[in-house]
């Protein structure tokens, strides 16, 4: 079948290819106050007196980002804020203000939206942030599009570029748990559909991974620890699409490579248990799972030593060559596949 020259499917460019295409069409920003536009976790612009605002938008759409059968409405409110706050934190900034645009289908009630707002309120209180506006429209699918504005000192903002050879590559918390939680929820949902009322989901043994998937916690605590120890990392990104993909982003934007050590990946016992349950590899969950909303950080080893134990786990080093490698538990050093979650199933990030 020949392709229509006036209708290029988005799968041909992929998510990242499309963003690059549109960025080229917009051209460079002319406003001198803008320090960073498209291409990082959030845009950055000066607001005066050495301070900046950082701005990010993330959208959650029913059936793509969440399944209403196992996503309580209050948690949806929490998650819609968390995924945005995570991008603000990844710039080493603090969240201040949020707006939300809601798309509401007929099957969603006033009470359900009130529950979403309970989650939003809890998150705003927890992160010291205020919801200051939004938009409300009818939609085919439930949609939550959130924008968060954060604030920072210009000199403390950390970008995806800036990593240098020799830096320690570290992560906060643990990785792969969110995917383990999702895998379990999807499986239990499948069983539920199959066996109807007779099926009893088992959640109690897996509370940690399920909670990590439904209500992720952005690592505001980690950037507070960095500030306290007077450590400013060279590069930072949050782990939304999967660790392997985020390593690619940092390396590509910093013009460097990396070598990871599989044995050093911090993986929770419950994540390993779930991977075992499905005869899958926990390292695969950790590298490609996504939605962990942990931070991936590159910083000199001397700076890493200034932080209290437990804030960061070193998972590798930044290297000069552009290749991204991983040392397997058997001691082999092999190329790390760059795939991560991409909407539209476009070409992998490593190819672009
Ligand atoms: P993240 O996973 O950190 O939210 P994304 O991969 O969604 O980052 O986005 C990468 C960059 O592309 C960000 O700077 C974001 O603002 C920008 N971006 C994404 N979609 C668009 C779009 N449609 N138009 C302009 N910029 C976009
Ligand atoms: Mg991000």
């Amino acid at each position: 079948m020949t392709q229509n020259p006036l209708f290029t499917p988005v799968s041909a460019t992929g998510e990242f290819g499309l963003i690059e295409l549109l960025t080229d069409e917009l051209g460079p920003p002319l406003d001198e106050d803008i320090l960073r536009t498209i291409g990082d976790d959030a845009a950055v612009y000066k607001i005066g007196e050495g301070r900046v605002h950082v701005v990010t938008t993330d959208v959650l759409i029913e059936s793509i980002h969440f399944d209403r059968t196992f996503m309580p409405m209050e948690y949806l409110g929490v998650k819609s804020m968390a995924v945005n706050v995570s991008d603000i934190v990844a710039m080493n900034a603090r969240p201040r203000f949020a707006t939300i645009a809601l798309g509401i289908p007929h099957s969603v009630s006033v009470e359900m939206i009130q529950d979403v707002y309970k989650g939003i309120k809890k998150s705003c209180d927890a992160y010291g942030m205020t919801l200051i506006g939004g938009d409300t429209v009818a939609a085919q699918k439930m949609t939550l599009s959130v924008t968060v504005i954060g604030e920072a000192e210009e000199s403390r903002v950390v970008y995806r570029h800036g990593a240098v050879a020799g830096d320690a590559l570290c992560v906060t918390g643990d990785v792969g748990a969110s995917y383990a939680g999702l895998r379990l929820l999807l499986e239990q949902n499948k069983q539920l559909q199959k066996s109807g009322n007779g099926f009893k989901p088992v959640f109690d043994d897996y509370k940690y991974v399920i909670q990590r998937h439904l209500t992720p916690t952005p690592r505001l605590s980690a950037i507070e620890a960095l500030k306290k120890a007077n450590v400013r990392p060279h590069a930072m990104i949050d782990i939304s699409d999967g660790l392997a993909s985020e390593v690619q982003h940092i390396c590509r934007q910093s013009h460097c490579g990396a070598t990871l050590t599989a044995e050093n990946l911090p993986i929770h016992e419950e994540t390993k248990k779930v991977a075992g349950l499905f005869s899958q590899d926990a390292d695969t969950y950790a590298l490609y799972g996504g939605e962990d909303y942990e931070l991936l950080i590159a910083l000199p080893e001397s700076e890493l030593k200034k932080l209290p134990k437990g804030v960061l786990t070193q998972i590798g080093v930044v290297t000069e060559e552009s290749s991204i490698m991983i040392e397997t538990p058997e001691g082999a050093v092999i190329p790390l596949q760059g795939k991560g979650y991409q909407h539209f199933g476009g070409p992998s990030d490593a190819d672009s």
Side-chain angles (χ1 to χ4, degrees):
M1 206 170 69
T2 51
Q3 279 218 342
N4 180 345
L6 296 178
F7 188 94
T8 308
V10 178
S11 59
T13 58
E15 178 187 349
F16 299 122
L18 177 66
I19 295 170
E20 263 174 40
L21 184 83
L22 300 174
T23 310
D24 287 348
E25 278 174 16
L26 284 173
L30 300 176
D31 191 320
E32 287 177 1
D33 285 338
I34 296 172
L35 297 174
R36 188 79 172 104
T37 57
I38 301 164
D40 220 301
D41 290 295
V44 184
Y45 57 85
K46 296 184 198 179
I47 54 167
E49 293 167 7
R51 297 195 70 78
V52 294
H53 269 169
V54 298
V55 185
T56 186
T57 295
D58 263 306
V59 56
L60 299 182
I61 298 181
E62 182 181 349
S63 315
I64 306 274
H65 299 94
F66 63 93
D67 186 329
R68 267 206 272 153
T69 53
F70 55 71
M71 179 55 118
M73 289 292 112
E74 183 176 329
Y75 290 1
L76 189 57
V78 169
K79 192 161 181 175
S80 70
M81 292 293 132
V83 300
N84 281 278
V85 169
S86 180
D87 277 326
I88 297 292
V89 166
M91 307 300 293
N92 208 16
R94 292 196 67 89
R96 292 285 315 272
F97 312 107
T99 61
I100 184 165
L102 284 177
I104 308 173
H106 291 303
S107 55
V108 169
S109 67
V110 171
E111 290 76 14
M112 287 159 79
I113 301 291
Q114 284 176 310
D115 280 344
V116 171
Y117 270 65
K118 270 186 207 150
I120 291 178
K121 175 88 174 74
K122 273 191 191 159
S123 298
C124 284
D125 291 348
Y127 310 136
M129 181 172 84
T130 311
L131 185 79
I132 55 169
D135 196 16
T136 307
V137 296
Q140 300 281 345
K141 298 257 181 195
M142 192 172 182
T143 309
L144 302 92
S145 176
V146 174
T147 296
V148 171
I149 300 171
E151 198 175 327
E153 270 172 47
E154 185 181 335
S155 60
R156 287 201 60 82
V157 174
V158 178
Y159 298 92
R160 291 179 180 182
H161 60 81
V164 294
D167 277 353
L169 206 53
C170 303
V171 290
T172 55
D174 61 273
V175 278
S178 177
Y179 182 76
L182 173 65
R183 187 75 182 72
L184 210 61
L185 288 165
L186 288 172
E187 180 62 25
Q188 303 246 351
N189 198 35
K190 210 162 78 188
Q191 298 291 338
L192 198 67
Q193 307 287 341
K194 246 199 264 167
S195 28
N197 294 334
F199 178 74
K200 284 214 171 19
V202 184
F203 291 139
D204 282 0
D205 293 347
Y206 303 102
K207 276 196 180 125
Y208 179 74
V209 293
I210 289 174
Q211 165 249 319
R212 290 272 297 179
H213 180 71
L214 296 181
T215 56
T217 307
R219 289 290 175 183
L220 207 54
S221 58
I223 67 159
E224 277 160 5
L226 291 173
K227 189 169 181 197
K228 205 165 161 204
N230 199 21
V231 170
R232 186 184 166 276
H234 281 162
M236 213 151 63
I237 188 169
D238 74 323
I239 304 173
S240 53
D241 297 337
L243 177 60
S245 162
E246 315 303 358
V247 172
Q248 297 273 355
H249 283 304
I250 283 203
C251 288
R252 204 171 47 166
Q253 295 203 20
S254 302
H255 307 289
C256 61
T259 302
L260 309 190
T261 306
E263 278 190 329
N264 292 351
L265 294 170
I267 304 174
H268 195 276
E269 280 310 312
E270 225 173 272
T271 307
K272 292 182 187 168
K273 208 163 126 189
V274 174
L277 206 65
F278 295 106
S279 308
Q280 287 172 320
D281 181 13
D283 286 354
T284 308
Y285 284 23
L287 290 165
Y288 304 110
E291 290 210 284
D292 287 312
Y293 299 104
E294 297 289 357
L295 296 171
L296 172 67
I297 301 181
L299 78 178
E301 281 187 33
S302 54
E303 293 289 282
L304 176 59
K305 288 198 185 108
K306 289 195 207 163
L307 291 166
K309 276 214 157 33
V311 176
L312 296 181
T313 304
Q314 185 170 358
I315 58 160
V317 287
V318 176
T319 57
E320 211 149 326
E321 318 78 58
S322 61
S323 49
I324 297 173
M325 313 295 285
I326 185 160
E327 185 180 345
T328 68
E330 295 76 34
V333 180
I334 58 169
L336 178 70
Q337 300 298 318
K339 69 178 178 188
Y341 185 78
Q342 267 218 71
H343 291 273
F344 315 108
S348 101
D349 199 24
D351 303 334
S352 58

